[in-house]
PDB file of all heavy atoms in Angstrom:
ATOM      1  N   GLY H1398     103.411  82.532  94.276  1.00  0.00           N
ATOM      2  CA  GLY H1398     102.191  82.794  95.051  1.00  0.00           C
ATOM      3  C   GLY H1398     101.686  84.199  94.851  1.00  0.00           C
ATOM      4  O   GLY H1398     100.500  84.413  94.677  1.00  0.00           O
ATOM      5  N   LEU H1399     102.607  85.158  94.889  1.00  0.00           N
ATOM      6  CA  LEU H1399     102.237  86.564  94.775  1.00  0.00           C
ATOM      7  C   LEU H1399     101.709  86.893  93.395  1.00  0.00           C
ATOM      8  O   LEU H1399     100.673  87.573  93.247  1.00  0.00           O
ATOM      9  CB  LEU H1399     103.459  87.427  95.113  1.00  0.00           C
ATOM     10  CG  LEU H1399     103.237  88.916  95.402  1.00  0.00           C
ATOM     11  CD1 LEU H1399     102.291  89.073  96.579  1.00  0.00           C
ATOM     12  CD2 LEU H1399     104.567  89.604  95.698  1.00  0.00           C
ATOM     13  N   ILE H1400     102.394  86.403  92.349  1.00  0.00           N
ATOM     14  CA  ILE H1400     101.942  86.717  91.009  1.00  0.00           C
ATOM     15  C   ILE H1400     100.650  85.992  90.664  1.00  0.00           C
ATOM     16  O   ILE H1400      99.810  86.495  89.920  1.00  0.00           O
ATOM     17  CB  ILE H1400     103.054  86.407  89.955  1.00  0.00           C
ATOM     18  CG1 ILE H1400     102.806  87.206  88.679  1.00  0.00           C
ATOM     19  CG2 ILE H1400     103.135  84.926  89.659  1.00  0.00           C
ATOM     20  CD1 ILE H1400     103.958  87.170  87.692  1.00  0.00           C
ATOM     21  N   GLY H1401     100.478  84.798  91.277  1.00  0.00           N
ATOM     22  CA  GLY H1401      99.230  84.069  91.055  1.00  0.00           C
ATOM     23  C   GLY H1401      98.048  84.796  91.621  1.00  0.00           C
ATOM     24  O   GLY H1401      96.987  84.898  90.980  1.00  0.00           O
ATOM     25  N   TYR H1402      98.230  85.328  92.830  1.00  0.00           N
ATOM     26  CA  TYR H1402      97.136  86.046  93.490  1.00  0.00           C
ATOM     27  C   TYR H1402      96.785  87.324  92.738  1.00  0.00           C
ATOM     28  O   TYR H1402      95.645  87.549  92.329  1.00  0.00           O
ATOM     29  CB  TYR H1402      97.480  86.355  94.937  1.00  0.00           C
ATOM     30  CG  TYR H1402      96.430  87.210  95.615  1.00  0.00           C
ATOM     31  CD1 TYR H1402      95.256  86.647  96.085  1.00  0.00           C
ATOM     32  CD2 TYR H1402      96.601  88.591  95.760  1.00  0.00           C
ATOM     33  CE1 TYR H1402      94.280  87.414  96.680  1.00  0.00           C
ATOM     34  CE2 TYR H1402      95.638  89.373  96.363  1.00  0.00           C
ATOM     35  CZ  TYR H1402      94.481  88.768  96.814  1.00  0.00           C
ATOM     36  OH  TYR H1402      93.516  89.562  97.406  1.00  0.00           O
ATOM     37  N   TRP H1403      97.780  88.182  92.534  1.00  0.00           N
ATOM     38  CA  TRP H1403      97.536  89.486  91.948  1.00  0.00           C
ATOM     39  C   TRP H1403      97.273  89.385  90.445  1.00  0.00           C
ATOM     40  O   TRP H1403      96.514  90.178  89.893  1.00  0.00           O
ATOM     41  CB  TRP H1403      98.686  90.429  92.227  1.00  0.00           C
ATOM     42  CG  TRP H1403      98.714  90.865  93.648  1.00  0.00           C
ATOM     43  CD1 TRP H1403      99.478  90.325  94.664  1.00  0.00           C
ATOM     44  CD2 TRP H1403      97.902  91.865  94.269  1.00  0.00           C
ATOM     45  NE1 TRP H1403      99.200  90.967  95.850  1.00  0.00           N
ATOM     46  CE2 TRP H1403      98.253  91.919  95.636  1.00  0.00           C
ATOM     47  CE3 TRP H1403      96.940  92.742  93.782  1.00  0.00           C
ATOM     48  CZ2 TRP H1403      97.645  92.791  96.516  1.00  0.00           C
ATOM     49  CZ3 TRP H1403      96.357  93.636  94.670  1.00  0.00           C
ATOM     50  CH2 TRP H1403      96.709  93.661  96.007  1.00  0.00           C
ATOM     51  N   GLY H1404      97.898  88.422  89.787  1.00  0.00           N
ATOM     52  CA  GLY H1404      97.617  88.225  88.363  1.00  0.00           C
ATOM     53  C   GLY H1404      96.200  87.834  88.085  1.00  0.00           C
ATOM     54  O   GLY H1404      95.619  88.214  87.056  1.00  0.00           O
ATOM     55  N   SER H1405      95.595  87.062  88.988  1.00  0.00           N
ATOM     56  CA  SER H1405      94.225  86.634  88.785  1.00  0.00           C
ATOM     57  C   SER H1405      93.206  87.743  89.029  1.00  0.00           C
ATOM     58  O   SER H1405      92.106  87.716  88.488  1.00  0.00           O
ATOM     59  CB  SER H1405      93.914  85.448  89.714  1.00  0.00           C
ATOM     60  OG  SER H1405      93.846  85.860  91.076  1.00  0.00           O
ATOM     61  N   LEU H1406      93.595  88.745  89.821  1.00  0.00           N
ATOM     62  CA  LEU H1406      92.632  89.762  90.209  1.00  0.00           C
ATOM     63  C   LEU H1406      92.160  90.626  89.052  1.00  0.00           C
ATOM     64  O   LEU H1406      91.012  91.105  89.041  1.00  0.00           O
ATOM     65  CB  LEU H1406      93.216  90.656  91.321  1.00  0.00           C
ATOM     66  CG  LEU H1406      93.253  90.047  92.711  1.00  0.00           C
ATOM     67  CD1 LEU H1406      93.666  91.109  93.727  1.00  0.00           C
ATOM     68  CD2 LEU H1406      91.923  89.414  93.117  1.00  0.00           C
ATOM     69  N   VAL H1407      93.018  90.870  88.053  1.00  0.00           N
ATOM     70  CA  VAL H1407      92.588  91.707  86.955  1.00  0.00           C
ATOM     71  C   VAL H1407      91.465  91.034  86.196  1.00  0.00           C
ATOM     72  O   VAL H1407      90.502  91.678  85.761  1.00  0.00           O
ATOM     73  CB  VAL H1407      93.766  92.052  85.998  1.00  0.00           C
ATOM     74  CG1 VAL H1407      94.316  90.822  85.312  1.00  0.00           C
ATOM     75  CG2 VAL H1407      93.323  93.073  84.943  1.00  0.00           C
ATOM     76  N   PHE H1408      91.491  89.690  86.068  1.00  0.00           N
ATOM     77  CA  PHE H1408      90.448  88.978  85.383  1.00  0.00           C
ATOM     78  C   PHE H1408      89.232  88.836  86.289  1.00  0.00           C
ATOM     79  O   PHE H1408      88.079  88.943  85.838  1.00  0.00           O
ATOM     80  CB  PHE H1408      90.952  87.620  84.925  1.00  0.00           C
ATOM     81  CG  PHE H1408      92.110  87.730  83.987  1.00  0.00           C
ATOM     82  CD1 PHE H1408      93.420  87.533  84.415  1.00  0.00           C
ATOM     83  CD2 PHE H1408      91.908  88.038  82.639  1.00  0.00           C
ATOM     84  CE1 PHE H1408      94.488  87.664  83.560  1.00  0.00           C
ATOM     85  CE2 PHE H1408      92.974  88.172  81.746  1.00  0.00           C
ATOM     86  CZ  PHE H1408      94.272  87.977  82.219  1.00  0.00           C
ATOM     87  N   TYR H1409      89.476  88.617  87.563  1.00  0.00           N
ATOM     88  CA  TYR H1409      88.373  88.497  88.519  1.00  0.00           C
ATOM     89  C   TYR H1409      87.609  89.823  88.637  1.00  0.00           C
ATOM     90  O   TYR H1409      86.382  89.860  88.527  1.00  0.00           O
ATOM     91  CB  TYR H1409      88.954  88.109  89.888  1.00  0.00           C
ATOM     92  CG  TYR H1409      87.953  88.126  91.016  1.00  0.00           C
ATOM     93  CD1 TYR H1409      86.811  87.358  90.979  1.00  0.00           C
ATOM     94  CD2 TYR H1409      88.166  88.947  92.146  1.00  0.00           C
ATOM     95  CE1 TYR H1409      85.889  87.364  92.017  1.00  0.00           C
ATOM     96  CE2 TYR H1409      87.252  88.953  93.186  1.00  0.00           C
ATOM     97  CZ  TYR H1409      86.126  88.176  93.143  1.00  0.00           C
ATOM     98  OH  TYR H1409      85.226  88.208  94.155  1.00  0.00           O
ATOM     99  N   ASN H1410      88.343  90.928  88.809  1.00  0.00           N
ATOM    100  CA  ASN H1410      87.703  92.249  88.922  1.00  0.00           C
ATOM    101  C   ASN H1410      86.929  92.628  87.660  1.00  0.00           C
ATOM    102  O   ASN H1410      85.899  93.292  87.706  1.00  0.00           O
ATOM    103  CB  ASN H1410      88.729  93.299  89.227  1.00  0.00           C
ATOM    104  CG  ASN H1410      89.266  93.232  90.648  1.00  0.00           C
ATOM    105  OD1 ASN H1410      88.618  92.681  91.545  1.00  0.00           O
ATOM    106  ND2 ASN H1410      90.436  93.797  90.866  1.00  0.00           N
ATOM    107  N   SER H1411      87.463  92.213  86.501  1.00  0.00           N
ATOM    108  CA  SER H1411      86.804  92.608  85.242  1.00  0.00           C
ATOM    109  C   SER H1411      85.458  91.930  85.049  1.00  0.00           C
ATOM    110  O   SER H1411      84.645  92.365  84.216  1.00  0.00           O
ATOM    111  CB  SER H1411      87.723  92.253  84.053  1.00  0.00           C
ATOM    112  OG  SER H1411      87.769  90.850  83.846  1.00  0.00           O
ATOM    113  N   TYR H1412      85.178  90.895  85.839  1.00  0.00           N
ATOM    114  CA  TYR H1412      83.871  90.252  85.790  1.00  0.00           C
ATOM    115  C   TYR H1412      82.777  91.112  86.410  1.00  0.00           C
ATOM    116  O   TYR H1412      81.595  90.915  86.123  1.00  0.00           O
ATOM    117  CB  TYR H1412      83.886  88.915  86.512  1.00  0.00           C
ATOM    118  CG  TYR H1412      84.253  87.724  85.641  1.00  0.00           C
ATOM    119  CD1 TYR H1412      85.480  87.078  85.781  1.00  0.00           C
ATOM    120  CD2 TYR H1412      83.344  87.211  84.715  1.00  0.00           C
ATOM    121  CE1 TYR H1412      85.781  85.972  84.995  1.00  0.00           C
ATOM    122  CE2 TYR H1412      83.658  86.110  83.921  1.00  0.00           C
ATOM    123  CZ  TYR H1412      84.890  85.503  84.078  1.00  0.00           C
ATOM    124  OH  TYR H1412      85.185  84.407  83.288  1.00  0.00           O
ATOM    125  N   LEU H1413      83.150  92.041  87.294  1.00  0.00           N
ATOM    126  CA  LEU H1413      82.147  92.752  88.097  1.00  0.00           C
ATOM    127  C   LEU H1413      81.073  93.443  87.246  1.00  0.00           C
ATOM    128  O   LEU H1413      79.880  93.232  87.460  1.00  0.00           O
ATOM    129  CB  LEU H1413      82.840  93.745  89.043  1.00  0.00           C
ATOM    130  CG  LEU H1413      81.944  94.517  90.012  1.00  0.00           C
ATOM    131  CD1 LEU H1413      81.111  93.556  90.860  1.00  0.00           C
ATOM    132  CD2 LEU H1413      82.784  95.409  90.922  1.00  0.00           C
ATOM    133  N   PRO H1414      81.448  94.283  86.282  1.00  0.00           N
ATOM    134  CA  PRO H1414      80.397  94.893  85.470  1.00  0.00           C
ATOM    135  C   PRO H1414      79.705  93.899  84.528  1.00  0.00           C
ATOM    136  O   PRO H1414      78.626  94.203  83.992  1.00  0.00           O
ATOM    137  CB  PRO H1414      81.134  95.996  84.673  1.00  0.00           C
ATOM    138  CG  PRO H1414      82.548  95.538  84.644  1.00  0.00           C
ATOM    139  CD  PRO H1414      82.776  94.811  85.953  1.00  0.00           C
TER     140      PRO H1414
END
Side-chain angles (χ1 to χ4, degrees):
L1399 195 58
I1400 201 170
Y1402 175 79
W1403 288 98
S1405 70
L1406 285 187
V1407 64
F1408 300 100
Y1409 172 58
N1410 287 338
S1411 72
Y1412 269 109
L1413 184 55

